[in-house]
Amino acid sequence: MSQTQSEYTVSQHSLDRDCTTLSRHVLEQLNSFGPEAQDLSAIMNRIALAGKLISRRLSRAGLMAGVLGFTGEENIQGESVKKMDIYANDVFISVFKQSGLVCRLASEEMEKPYYIPENCPIGRYTLLYDPIDGSSNVDINLNVGSIFSIRQQQGEDLDGEAKDLFQDGHQQLAAGYILYGPSTLLVYSLGNGVHSFILDPSLGEFILAEENIKVPVHGPVYSVNEGNFWQWDNGIRDYIRYMHRHEGYTARYSGALVGDFHRILMQGGVFLYPGTVKKPEGKLRLLYESAPLAFLIEQAGGKASTGKENLLDVIPDKLHARTPLIIGSLEDVKLVESFIEDSYKQK
Ligand code: AHG
Ligand code: MN
Ligand code: MN
């Protein structure tokens, strides 16, 4: 049976789409086969492998022994550690061990960076990551994520303190996240737009879903844990009161930053984790939670702020430093900032 031109065009189009795998896309993005492009492409492939391994384990979590629940330990943040946090943390280490690419990995679950000495003479990159973001969702089968950021090692790290990582977020070479939801999604940027990929389990490949994602300049969603209202500054309280009193806004909060952020990236709005009385810097960690997402939102045409300054300008004073985070559509982030500014004027 002969194919009409339009049938051919349609099937060719979906075939092209199926063939746009993450690795091909990374190389096209870098527009080079030079050593740095090869390295970044290999690093992204390893991150994708980590995502596939974590996704596989999460999808069977309720069926296997020893996957759900707490380990009984606390991490450096003083938070109870889940078995999945440790599994996912170790997955990232394992996939990078023999890579020759990454000398150090720094994660939420480790007080100090993890060094892979055999890679260090040549591996000039550092991976910063949150292995499982939103881990309170793991045991109830709701969405969780992983966040990653790639930085070039700057100078020697002789004392093992990784102080060269205490730099602003503009220094990131790449950033992204993996969202483990009904499907597994990988979103990344190499500083040239934001692109999303869906894991096709039958192929074991991340396939291009959307290129050059742009966040709407305004959206209806505000995403914040309102249970903290009593401990916020007046600026944030005034902003939330404004949301309550005006038509056109709706609240969404899942308890997993990656999921809440992804909704906002795709549909617009704002996510906030402001400082509180107990935690003036908020809860979210700069180097492997807020800064990577700020890198993505700027690439998508949005904005990320601490309320006082551009989030990508913040220089951490320690590996696990925290910052308040206000992130999303340009207009919505500016509106929150205007309430914060007004409250300072009134002081
Ligand atoms: P993590 O699971 O990596 O510790 O991160 C949890 C974070 C983030 O995902 C989420 O937005 C926030 O904590 C939720 O905190 P609250 O329960 O305080 O709202
Ligand atoms: Mn997290
Ligand atoms: Mn985490």
Side-chain angles (χ1 to χ4, degrees), residues 19 26 37 39 57 92 98 107 158 196 259 271 275 285 303 340:
C19 289
V26 172
D39 285 353
R57 193 162 177 95
F92 276 94
Q98 266 99 44
S107 117
L158 297 173
S196 69
F271 175 94
R285 279 66 44 128
K303 187 170 164 63
I340 295 172

Side-chain angles (χ1 to χ4, degrees), residues 6-239:
S6 70
E7 278 169 345
Y8 175 78
T9 313
V10 168
S11 72
Q12 196 57 37
H13 175 76
S14 57
L15 200 55
D16 279 349
R17 194 173 172 275
D18 281 355
C19 289
T20 307
T21 58
L22 178 65
S23 24
R24 176 173 142 187
H25 194 264
V26 172
L27 283 171
E28 281 173 7
Q29 281 282 300
L30 292 160
N31 200 15
S32 144
F33 288 96
E36 172 144 320
Q38 299 281 0
D39 285 353
L40 283 173
S41 161
I43 292 173
M44 283 305 304
N45 275 333
R46 297 279 164 163
I47 291 171
L49 175 60
K52 290 177 211 172
L53 287 161
I54 295 166
S55 172
R56 184 178 69 175
R57 193 162 177 95
L58 284 170
S59 69
R60 296 178 189 162
L63 300 169
M64 289 158 62
V67 177
L68 299 178
F70 292 95
T71 63
E73 308 284 311
E74 276 194 355
N75 65 14
I76 173 72
Q77 335 275 341
E79 296 160 348
S80 302
V81 175
K82 291 241 154 122
K83 291 175 187 159
M84 261 319 287
D85 291 321
I86 297 305
Y87 173 81
N89 191 62
D90 293 350
V91 162
F92 276 94
I93 293 173
S94 302
V95 301
F96 278 104
K97 254 191 177 159
Q98 266 99 44
S99 70
L101 295 161
V102 164
C103 162
R104 299 175 303 190
L105 294 101
S107 117
E108 178 191 341
E109 303 302 337
M110 301 185 289
E111 182 178 359
K112 296 249 163 79
Y114 182 99
Y115 289 81
I116 309 174
E118 58 272 30
N119 290 351
C120 289
I122 42 169
R124 303 299 296 167
Y125 300 94
T126 297
L127 181 82
L128 295 120
Y129 65 111
D130 179 357
I132 296 285
D133 172 66
S135 41
S136 74
N137 280 4
V138 167
D139 292 351
I140 48 171
N141 194 32
L142 295 182
N143 68 284
V144 293
S146 302
I147 309 175
F148 60 87
S149 162
I150 304 167
R151 292 184 185 234
Q152 183 110 46
Q153 187 162 329
Q154 313 213 357
E156 295 301 317
D157 175 14
L158 297 173
D159 53 5
E161 294 287 324
K163 292 216 171 89
D164 64 293
L165 291 173
F166 302 175
Q167 299 211 27
D168 65 58
H170 303 284
Q171 309 297 323
Q172 297 174 97
L173 294 176
Y177 57 83
I178 303 159
L179 172 59
Y180 311 99
S183 56
T184 296
L185 212 87
L186 188 149
V187 177
Y188 87 111
S189 177
L190 294 169
N192 187 19
V194 180
H195 321 288
S196 69
F197 293 76
I198 298 172
L199 178 62
D200 182 336
S202 64
L203 292 171
E205 292 272 9
F206 281 100
I207 302 296
L208 180 64
E210 198 175 335
E211 250 181 331
N212 294 314
I213 298 168
K214 291 290 167 206
V215 59
V217 285
H218 162 69
V221 170
Y222 71 99
S223 186
V224 66
N225 185 345
E226 291 198 51
N228 291 327
F229 189 94
W230 64 279
Q231 19 174 11
W232 288 333
D233 280 346
N234 281 336
I236 299 292
R237 289 186 192 191
D238 289 344
Y239 167 75

